[in-house]
Amino acid sequence: MPEEFLVARNLHKSFNGNNAVNGVSFSIHKGEVFGLLGPNGAGKTTTIRMLTTVLEPDRGDIEIGGHSVRQDAEGVRALIGVCPQELALYVELSAMDNLVFFGRMVGLNGKEAKAQAMSHLDLMGLADRAKGKVDKFSGGMKRRVNLAIALMGHPQFLFLDESTVGVDPQSRNNIYETIEGLRDEGMTILYTTHYMDEADRLCDRVAIMDEGVIIAMDTPHALKSQIGNPNQVTLEDVFLKLTGRTLRD
Ligand SMILES: Nc1ncnc2c1ncn2[C@@H]1O[C@H](COP(=O)(O)OP(=O)(O)OP(=O)(O)O)[C@@H](O)[C@H]1O
Ligand SMILES: [Mg+2]
């Protein structure tokens, strides 16, 4: 049996009486890339915010690396890196200073923060722009800085909420290859995306969410097999079949 690194049980969260997350349970094994997919407003980001200790669930429990989110949020935070859907950057600072700042926030000393910052900027193809102010960066570069920040402190578990949204194919490839590299090094990753081809290539298993609940969860291959020949149908076919074609927002 693979080791369960994250366990979420019966998560609920409502805003002003509307159920954003309505009884979500799943577990993620160590070293697994787990895709959380779903239409706009399905409850993916709300789920991630609960898993990453930002938002307290109305009901339900979460354990990451054996630490309970309710009882030991600090222990959870020490294990995780978070790349949020909304960019979280200080645009007045340079890329380097952003990374060093967030490195210090996760407890690195100045020297170690600088060393990791340089290495992560290099990984994201930004080494030569280290001293550039982030407000002068393109959308793709800002996304890459956002991901580089999430890697500060070498987390064991990475949450990536739409890391490739709104970026050009070059940045998308760089981000994509970085995630593949992290996966190959054994990082455990929860990944959300609206690009079904990405999820199919990258994820060991995916959960498809709609209206606050998980409506399917399996390997991309098994999900495709449920609706046809897995070599001919796509994960997008599965997604549309399960979630329908009605617009959500
Ligand atoms: N802080 C909040 N206050 C009120 N409603 C919220 C809040 N956060 C989320 N919601 C609502 O909860 C529902 C789920 O939102 P959530 O952001 O989790 O969806 P999502 O699956 O991440 O969507 P997207 O693909 O657009 O990012 C939506 O109806 C959203 O409007
Ligand atoms: Mg979201």
Side-chain angles (χ1 to χ4, degrees):
M1 276 290 283
E3 185 189 337
E4 286 182 346
F5 199 2
L6 178 151
V7 183
R9 291 187 203 93
N10 199 25
L11 298 181
H12 285 78
K13 186 76 197 177
S14 65
F15 299 105
N16 313 316
N18 297 318
N19 293 323
V21 174
N22 197 12
V24 159
S25 302
F26 60 91
S27 33
I28 301 180
H29 310 140
K30 200 163 176 49
E32 185 174 36
V33 180
F34 185 87
L36 192 56
L37 312 177
N40 290 132
K44 305 178 297 294
T45 297
T46 305
T47 301
I48 289 181
R49 294 181 75 211
M50 291 190 279
L51 299 174
T52 55
T53 79
V54 176
L55 202 62
E56 195 183 343
D58 296 337
R59 265 194 287 157
D61 295 301
I62 302 156
E63 270 177 37
I64 302 182
H67 302 265
S68 152
V69 161
R70 278 190 201 281
Q71 280 145 33
D72 184 13
E74 281 301 313
V76 169
R77 284 185 206 124
L79 295 175
I80 65 173
V82 185
C83 187
Q85 182 169 2
E86 303 297 334
L87 292 169
L89 304 165
Y90 289 101
V91 293
E92 289 302 310
L93 297 181
S94 69
M96 183 72 181
D97 287 347
N98 265 281
L99 267 71
V100 169
F101 174 79
F102 284 103
R104 301 284 287 172
M105 295 274 284
V106 296
L108 302 178
N109 67 37
K111 198 170 160 213
E112 183 57 24
K114 263 194 180 156
Q116 283 195 25
M118 231 18 247
S119 143
H120 294 150
L121 286 171
D122 192 34
L123 186 68
M124 303 311 306
L126 289 167
D128 57 341
R129 303 297 295 272
K131 292 194 176 133
K133 234 170 141 183
V134 167
D135 68 356
K136 300 279 184 298
F137 282 15
S138 69
M141 289 163 73
K142 286 182 186 151
R143 281 270 154 214
R144 276 142 59 205
V145 176
N146 211 38
L147 178 51
I149 287 172
L151 297 174
M152 294 300 289
H154 295 313
Q156 295 181 40
F157 195 121
L158 196 57
F159 291 87
L160 302 172
D161 195 354
E162 297 196 31
S163 311
T164 54
V165 73
V167 305
D168 63 24
Q170 285 82 358
S171 274
R172 195 175 158 198
N173 255 332
N174 168 280
I175 292 171
Y176 193 82
E177 282 167 11
T178 303
I179 298 169
E180 279 187 319
L182 294 167
R183 177 194 62 187
D184 295 346
E185 287 166 17
M187 179 88 85
T188 311
I189 298 172
L190 187 152
Y191 187 72
T192 82
T193 181
H194 289 292
Y195 301 113
M196 293 300 127
D197 56 326
E198 266 183 23
D200 196 359
R201 266 174 64 191
L202 199 62
C203 297
D204 298 304
R205 283 188 307 143
V206 300
I208 298 180
M209 267 188 97
D210 200 11
E211 298 180 343
V213 297
I214 292 178
I215 54 173
M217 180 159 52
D218 214 325
T219 63
H221 187 271
L223 289 174
K224 287 186 284 183
S225 302
Q226 283 178 14
I227 66 160
N229 178 341
N231 299 317
Q232 283 165 7
V233 300
T234 65
L235 198 55
E236 183 152 324
D237 296 330
V238 176
F239 183 91
L240 287 172
K241 187 162 176 111
L242 289 172
T243 58
R245 291 179 176 272
T246 320
L247 292 174
R248 301 310 157 96
D249 53 359

